[in-house]
mmCIF file of all heavy atoms in Angstrom:
data_model
loop_
_atom_site.group_PDB
_atom_site.id
_atom_site.type_symbol
_atom_site.label_atom_id
_atom_site.label_comp_id
_atom_site.label_asym_id
_atom_site.label_seq_id
_atom_site.Cartn_x
_atom_site.Cartn_y
_atom_site.Cartn_z
ATOM 1 N N ASN A 21 11.358 39.005 124.748
ATOM 2 C CA ASN A 21 11.488 37.759 125.512
ATOM 3 C C ASN A 21 10.528 36.689 124.976
ATOM 4 O O ASN A 21 10.630 35.538 125.366
ATOM 5 C CB ASN A 21 11.187 38.006 127.046
ATOM 6 C CG ASN A 21 12.324 38.765 127.737
ATOM 7 O OD1 ASN A 21 13.436 38.811 127.190
ATOM 8 N ND2 ASN A 21 12.028 39.345 128.894
ATOM 9 N N LEU A 22 9.559 37.059 124.144
ATOM 10 C CA LEU A 22 8.723 36.088 123.507
ATOM 11 C C LEU A 22 9.557 35.102 122.641
ATOM 12 O O LEU A 22 9.147 33.971 122.417
ATOM 13 C CB LEU A 22 7.666 36.782 122.609
ATOM 14 C CG LEU A 22 6.604 37.606 123.295
ATOM 15 C CD1 LEU A 22 5.797 38.283 122.246
ATOM 16 C CD2 LEU A 22 5.763 36.796 124.249
ATOM 17 N N PHE A 23 10.681 35.548 122.163
ATOM 18 C CA PHE A 23 11.454 34.757 121.220
ATOM 19 C C PHE A 23 12.698 34.103 121.848
ATOM 20 O O PHE A 23 13.633 33.762 121.126
ATOM 21 C CB PHE A 23 11.891 35.661 120.050
ATOM 22 C CG PHE A 23 10.721 36.375 119.377
ATOM 23 C CD1 PHE A 23 10.419 37.685 119.642
ATOM 24 C CD2 PHE A 23 9.897 35.705 118.470
ATOM 25 C CE1 PHE A 23 9.356 38.326 119.071
ATOM 26 C CE2 PHE A 23 8.814 36.296 117.857
ATOM 27 C CZ PHE A 23 8.556 37.630 118.142
ATOM 28 N N ASP A 24 12.682 33.998 123.159
ATOM 29 C CA ASP A 24 13.801 33.385 123.860
ATOM 30 C C ASP A 24 14.060 31.984 123.243
ATOM 31 O O ASP A 24 13.113 31.154 123.117
ATOM 32 C CB ASP A 24 13.456 33.260 125.292
ATOM 33 C CG ASP A 24 14.626 32.746 126.127
ATOM 34 O OD1 ASP A 24 15.773 32.914 125.682
ATOM 35 O OD2 ASP A 24 14.398 32.181 127.240
ATOM 36 N N LEU A 58 10.542 32.476 111.733
ATOM 37 C CA LEU A 58 10.378 32.082 113.146
ATOM 38 C C LEU A 58 10.855 30.654 113.356
ATOM 39 O O LEU A 58 10.328 29.678 112.792
ATOM 40 C CB LEU A 58 8.876 32.200 113.577
ATOM 41 C CG LEU A 58 8.600 32.051 115.053
ATOM 42 C CD1 LEU A 58 9.259 33.166 115.890
ATOM 43 C CD2 LEU A 58 7.102 32.039 115.325
ATOM 44 N N ILE A 60 11.644 29.109 116.571
ATOM 45 C CA ILE A 60 11.192 28.430 117.797
ATOM 46 C C ILE A 60 9.829 27.826 117.502
ATOM 47 O O ILE A 60 9.027 28.328 116.583
ATOM 48 C CB ILE A 60 11.091 29.344 118.982
ATOM 49 C CG1 ILE A 60 10.166 30.548 118.721
ATOM 50 C CG2 ILE A 60 12.483 29.842 119.376
ATOM 51 C CD1 ILE A 60 9.975 31.472 119.900
ATOM 52 N N THR A 61 9.483 26.767 118.195
ATOM 53 C CA THR A 61 8.215 26.056 117.993
ATOM 54 C C THR A 61 7.097 26.808 118.667
ATOM 55 O O THR A 61 7.272 27.633 119.569
ATOM 56 C CB THR A 61 8.299 24.632 118.591
ATOM 57 O OG1 THR A 61 8.459 24.737 119.993
ATOM 58 C CG2 THR A 61 9.461 23.926 117.978
ATOM 59 N N PRO A 62 5.818 26.512 118.296
ATOM 60 C CA PRO A 62 4.667 27.058 118.973
ATOM 61 C C PRO A 62 4.707 26.821 120.410
ATOM 62 O O PRO A 62 4.211 27.654 121.249
ATOM 63 C CB PRO A 62 3.488 26.437 118.244
ATOM 64 C CG PRO A 62 4.024 26.146 116.866
ATOM 65 C CD PRO A 62 5.417 25.756 117.131
ATOM 66 N N GLU A 63 5.161 25.648 120.822
ATOM 67 C CA GLU A 63 5.226 25.233 122.264
ATOM 68 C C GLU A 63 6.209 26.167 123.004
ATOM 69 O O GLU A 63 5.920 26.653 124.125
ATOM 70 C CB GLU A 63 5.631 23.832 122.419
ATOM 71 C CG GLU A 63 4.590 22.816 121.983
ATOM 72 C CD GLU A 63 4.457 22.724 120.482
ATOM 73 O OE1 GLU A 63 5.432 23.084 119.784
ATOM 74 O OE2 GLU A 63 3.444 22.295 119.959
ATOM 75 N N GLN A 64 7.356 26.447 122.365
ATOM 76 C CA GLN A 64 8.301 27.378 122.994
ATOM 77 C C GLN A 64 7.729 28.828 123.081
ATOM 78 O O GLN A 64 7.904 29.490 124.136
ATOM 79 C CB GLN A 64 9.585 27.382 122.184
ATOM 80 C CG GLN A 64 10.467 26.185 122.306
ATOM 81 C CD GLN A 64 11.679 26.231 121.434
ATOM 82 O OE1 GLN A 64 11.581 26.210 120.204
ATOM 83 N NE2 GLN A 64 12.886 26.400 122.024
ATOM 84 N N LEU A 65 7.044 29.249 122.041
ATOM 85 C CA LEU A 65 6.470 30.536 122.034
ATOM 86 C C LEU A 65 5.444 30.717 123.134
ATOM 87 O O LEU A 65 5.365 31.704 123.843
ATOM 88 C CB LEU A 65 5.843 30.850 120.670
ATOM 89 C CG LEU A 65 5.267 32.261 120.496
ATOM 90 C CD1 LEU A 65 6.337 33.317 120.595
ATOM 91 C CD2 LEU A 65 4.513 32.361 119.125
ATOM 92 N N LYS A 66 4.668 29.723 123.362
ATOM 93 C CA LYS A 66 3.602 29.672 124.412
ATOM 94 C C LYS A 66 4.284 29.713 125.746
ATOM 95 O O LYS A 66 3.814 30.496 126.660
ATOM 96 C CB LYS A 66 2.685 28.462 124.265
ATOM 97 C CG LYS A 66 1.685 28.315 125.415
ATOM 98 C CD LYS A 66 0.836 27.057 125.217
ATOM 99 C CE LYS A 66 -0.069 26.903 126.448
ATOM 100 N NZ LYS A 66 -0.873 25.696 126.313
ATOM 101 N N ALA A 67 5.296 28.914 125.951
ATOM 102 C CA ALA A 67 5.985 28.936 127.247
ATOM 103 C C ALA A 67 6.632 30.293 127.537
ATOM 104 O O ALA A 67 6.546 30.783 128.681
ATOM 105 C CB ALA A 67 7.040 27.805 127.293
ATOM 106 N N ASN A 68 7.251 30.887 126.527
ATOM 107 C CA ASN A 68 7.835 32.224 126.728
ATOM 108 C C ASN A 68 6.746 33.253 127.026
ATOM 109 O O ASN A 68 6.986 34.116 127.885
ATOM 110 C CB ASN A 68 8.545 32.591 125.440
ATOM 111 C CG ASN A 68 9.814 31.784 125.149
ATOM 112 O OD1 ASN A 68 10.325 31.127 126.066
ATOM 113 N ND2 ASN A 68 10.288 31.808 123.966
ATOM 114 N N THR A 69 5.593 33.147 126.335
ATOM 115 C CA THR A 69 4.554 34.069 126.644
ATOM 116 C C THR A 69 4.057 34.011 128.040
ATOM 117 O O THR A 69 3.830 35.084 128.680
ATOM 118 C CB THR A 69 3.330 33.765 125.668
ATOM 119 O OG1 THR A 69 3.844 33.895 124.267
ATOM 120 C CG2 THR A 69 2.247 34.814 125.877
ATOM 121 N N ARG A 70 3.855 32.834 128.548
ATOM 122 C CA ARG A 70 3.390 32.663 129.925
ATOM 123 C C ARG A 70 4.367 33.246 130.911
ATOM 124 O O ARG A 70 3.997 33.910 131.926
ATOM 125 C CB ARG A 70 3.090 31.233 130.214
ATOM 126 C CG ARG A 70 1.970 30.629 129.434
ATOM 127 C CD ARG A 70 0.653 31.297 129.619
ATOM 128 N NE ARG A 70 -0.413 30.706 128.880
ATOM 129 C CZ ARG A 70 -1.305 31.328 128.131
ATOM 130 N NH1 ARG A 70 -1.220 32.640 128.041
ATOM 131 N NH2 ARG A 70 -2.250 30.713 127.491
ATOM 132 N N LYS A 71 5.706 33.074 130.695
ATOM 133 C CA LYS A 71 6.691 33.639 131.560
ATOM 134 C C LYS A 71 6.589 35.134 131.522
ATOM 135 O O LYS A 71 6.702 35.828 132.632
ATOM 136 C CB LYS A 71 8.131 33.148 131.103
ATOM 137 C CG LYS A 71 8.425 31.717 131.390
ATOM 138 C CD LYS A 71 9.815 31.395 130.905
ATOM 139 C CE LYS A 71 10.129 29.905 131.126
ATOM 140 N NZ LYS A 71 11.482 29.559 130.604
ATOM 141 N N VAL A 72 6.456 35.769 130.401
ATOM 142 C CA VAL A 72 6.395 37.153 130.268
ATOM 143 C C VAL A 72 5.087 37.681 131.002
ATOM 144 O O VAL A 72 5.166 38.690 131.747
ATOM 145 C CB VAL A 72 6.311 37.597 128.756
ATOM 146 C CG1 VAL A 72 5.902 39.109 128.645
ATOM 147 C CG2 VAL A 72 7.613 37.343 128.125
ATOM 148 N N GLN A 73 3.976 37.021 130.818
ATOM 149 C CA GLN A 73 2.751 37.452 131.476
ATOM 150 C C GLN A 73 2.846 37.329 133.020
ATOM 151 O O GLN A 73 2.371 38.266 133.681
ATOM 152 C CB GLN A 73 1.573 36.592 130.953
ATOM 153 C CG GLN A 73 1.258 36.915 129.490
ATOM 154 C CD GLN A 73 0.234 35.962 128.916
ATOM 155 O OE1 GLN A 73 0.196 34.753 129.260
ATOM 156 N NE2 GLN A 73 -0.581 36.414 127.986
ATOM 157 N N ILE A 74 3.413 36.304 133.516
ATOM 158 C CA ILE A 74 3.651 36.175 134.959
ATOM 159 C C ILE A 74 4.506 37.297 135.441
ATOM 160 O O ILE A 74 4.205 37.920 136.483
ATOM 161 C CB ILE A 74 4.150 34.824 135.310
ATOM 162 C CG1 ILE A 74 3.147 33.711 135.005
ATOM 163 C CG2 ILE A 74 4.617 34.765 136.811
ATOM 164 C CD1 ILE A 74 3.677 32.306 135.175
ATOM 165 N N ILE A 80 -4.086 35.526 133.986
ATOM 166 C CA ILE A 80 -4.512 34.526 132.952
ATOM 167 C C ILE A 80 -5.453 33.578 133.651
ATOM 168 O O ILE A 80 -5.111 32.999 134.687
ATOM 169 C CB ILE A 80 -3.329 33.782 132.339
ATOM 170 C CG1 ILE A 80 -2.307 34.819 131.761
ATOM 171 C CG2 ILE A 80 -3.789 32.814 131.272
ATOM 172 C CD1 ILE A 80 -2.799 35.694 130.656
ATOM 173 N N ASN A 82 -6.632 30.624 132.561
ATOM 174 C CA ASN A 82 -6.148 29.263 132.397
ATOM 175 C C ASN A 82 -4.785 29.291 131.679
ATOM 176 O O ASN A 82 -4.745 29.577 130.510
ATOM 177 C CB ASN A 82 -7.213 28.440 131.670
ATOM 178 C CG ASN A 82 -6.818 26.963 131.685
ATOM 179 O OD1 ASN A 82 -5.726 26.556 132.068
ATOM 180 N ND2 ASN A 82 -7.791 26.091 131.441
ATOM 181 N N GLN A 83 -3.761 28.908 132.398
ATOM 182 C CA GLN A 83 -2.421 28.883 131.837
ATOM 183 C C GLN A 83 -2.282 27.938 130.683
ATOM 184 O O GLN A 83 -1.403 28.012 129.891
ATOM 185 C CB GLN A 83 -1.375 28.579 132.974
ATOM 186 C CG GLN A 83 -1.362 29.599 134.056
ATOM 187 C CD GLN A 83 -0.573 30.853 133.677
ATOM 188 O OE1 GLN A 83 0.187 30.842 132.694
ATOM 189 N NE2 GLN A 83 -0.824 31.952 134.378
ATOM 190 N N ASP A 84 -3.124 26.915 130.672
ATOM 191 C CA ASP A 84 -3.023 25.881 129.657
ATOM 192 C C ASP A 84 -3.667 26.210 128.342
ATOM 193 O O ASP A 84 -3.570 25.518 127.320
ATOM 194 C CB ASP A 84 -3.615 24.526 130.140
ATOM 195 C CG ASP A 84 -2.792 23.982 131.346
ATOM 196 O OD1 ASP A 84 -1.571 24.195 131.368
ATOM 197 O OD2 ASP A 84 -3.368 23.360 132.254
ATOM 198 N N ASP A 85 -4.440 27.318 128.379
ATOM 199 C CA ASP A 85 -5.118 27.721 127.075
ATOM 200 C C ASP A 85 -4.123 28.000 125.988
ATOM 201 O O ASP A 85 -3.031 28.465 126.249
ATOM 202 C CB ASP A 85 -5.978 28.968 127.324
ATOM 203 C CG ASP A 85 -7.222 28.702 128.162
ATOM 204 O OD1 ASP A 85 -7.595 27.540 128.273
ATOM 205 O OD2 ASP A 85 -7.887 29.643 128.668
ATOM 206 N N GLU A 86 -4.572 27.697 124.797
ATOM 207 C CA GLU A 86 -3.664 27.975 123.680
ATOM 208 C C GLU A 86 -3.530 29.489 123.386
ATOM 209 O O GLU A 86 -4.472 30.246 123.764
ATOM 210 C CB GLU A 86 -4.226 27.317 122.358
ATOM 211 C CG GLU A 86 -4.181 25.778 122.382
ATOM 212 C CD GLU A 86 -2.745 25.278 122.600
ATOM 213 O OE1 GLU A 86 -1.830 25.787 122.015
ATOM 214 O OE2 GLU A 86 -2.575 24.290 123.412
ATOM 215 N N LEU A 87 -2.440 29.933 122.785
ATOM 216 C CA LEU A 87 -2.309 31.311 122.454
ATOM 217 C C LEU A 87 -3.329 31.742 121.385
ATOM 218 O O LEU A 87 -3.654 30.927 120.529
ATOM 219 C CB LEU A 87 -0.874 31.584 121.917
ATOM 220 C CG LEU A 87 0.284 31.384 122.919
ATOM 221 C CD1 LEU A 87 1.582 31.745 122.206
ATOM 222 C CD2 LEU A 87 0.072 32.155 124.194
ATOM 223 N N GLU A 88 -3.802 32.973 121.550
ATOM 224 C CA GLU A 88 -4.778 33.484 120.526
ATOM 225 C C GLU A 88 -4.051 33.767 119.240
ATOM 226 O O GLU A 88 -2.986 34.358 119.209
ATOM 227 C CB GLU A 88 -5.471 34.683 121.119
ATOM 228 C CG GLU A 88 -6.297 34.454 122.324
ATOM 229 C CD GLU A 88 -6.842 35.697 123.005
ATOM 230 O OE1 GLU A 88 -6.013 36.366 123.633
ATOM 231 O OE2 GLU A 88 -8.013 36.000 122.823
ATOM 232 N N TYR A 104 0.159 34.403 115.309
ATOM 233 C CA TYR A 104 0.017 34.755 116.714
ATOM 234 C C TYR A 104 0.004 36.263 116.911
ATOM 235 O O TYR A 104 0.747 36.982 116.212
ATOM 236 C CB TYR A 104 1.107 34.151 117.578
ATOM 237 C CG TYR A 104 1.040 32.627 117.555
ATOM 238 C CD1 TYR A 104 1.967 31.867 116.789
ATOM 239 C CD2 TYR A 104 0.068 31.912 118.296
ATOM 240 C CE1 TYR A 104 1.894 30.521 116.708
ATOM 241 C CE2 TYR A 104 0.018 30.566 118.248
ATOM 242 C CZ TYR A 104 0.933 29.862 117.462
ATOM 243 O OH TYR A 104 0.873 28.472 117.475
ATOM 244 N N PHE A 106 0.004 39.622 119.801
ATOM 245 C CA PHE A 106 0.395 39.989 121.184
ATOM 246 C C PHE A 106 0.075 41.454 121.364
ATOM 247 O O PHE A 106 0.262 42.288 120.500
ATOM 248 C CB PHE A 106 1.862 39.728 121.386
ATOM 249 C CG PHE A 106 2.240 38.272 121.168
ATOM 250 C CD1 PHE A 106 2.728 37.857 119.921
ATOM 251 C CD2 PHE A 106 2.116 37.327 122.211
ATOM 252 C CE1 PHE A 106 3.079 36.556 119.721
ATOM 253 C CE2 PHE A 106 2.484 35.998 121.998
ATOM 254 C CZ PHE A 106 2.924 35.605 120.719
ATOM 255 N N ASN A 287 -3.574 37.966 123.746
ATOM 256 C CA ASN A 287 -2.328 37.583 124.423
ATOM 257 C C ASN A 287 -1.625 38.852 124.986
ATOM 258 O O ASN A 287 -0.519 39.235 124.640
ATOM 259 C CB ASN A 287 -1.390 36.910 123.452
ATOM 260 C CG ASN A 287 -1.948 35.603 122.893
ATOM 261 O OD1 ASN A 287 -2.526 34.776 123.634
ATOM 262 N ND2 ASN A 287 -1.846 35.485 121.557
ATOM 263 N N ILE A 289 0.647 41.093 126.996
ATOM 264 C CA ILE A 289 1.910 40.759 127.590
ATOM 265 C C ILE A 289 2.518 41.904 128.408
ATOM 266 O O ILE A 289 3.482 41.731 129.145
ATOM 267 C CB ILE A 289 2.957 40.384 126.516
ATOM 268 C CG1 ILE A 289 3.082 41.460 125.415
ATOM 269 C CG2 ILE A 289 2.612 39.004 125.886
ATOM 270 C CD1 ILE A 289 4.165 41.183 124.408
#
Side-chain angles (χ1 to χ4, degrees):
N21 288 344
L22 294 174
F23 305 100
D24 188 22
L58 189 63
I60 59 174
T61 64
E63 291 73 23
Q64 286 177 292
L65 184 62
K66 176 182 174 180
N68 292 341
T69 302
R70 296 300 183 227
K71 287 180 182 179
V72 169
Q73 290 171 327
I74 291 172
I80 304 298
N82 189 344
Q83 297 284 341
D84 295 327
D85 286 346
E86 294 300 319
L87 296 182
E88 296 172 285
Y104 297 103
F106 302 93
N287 300 313
I289 55 176

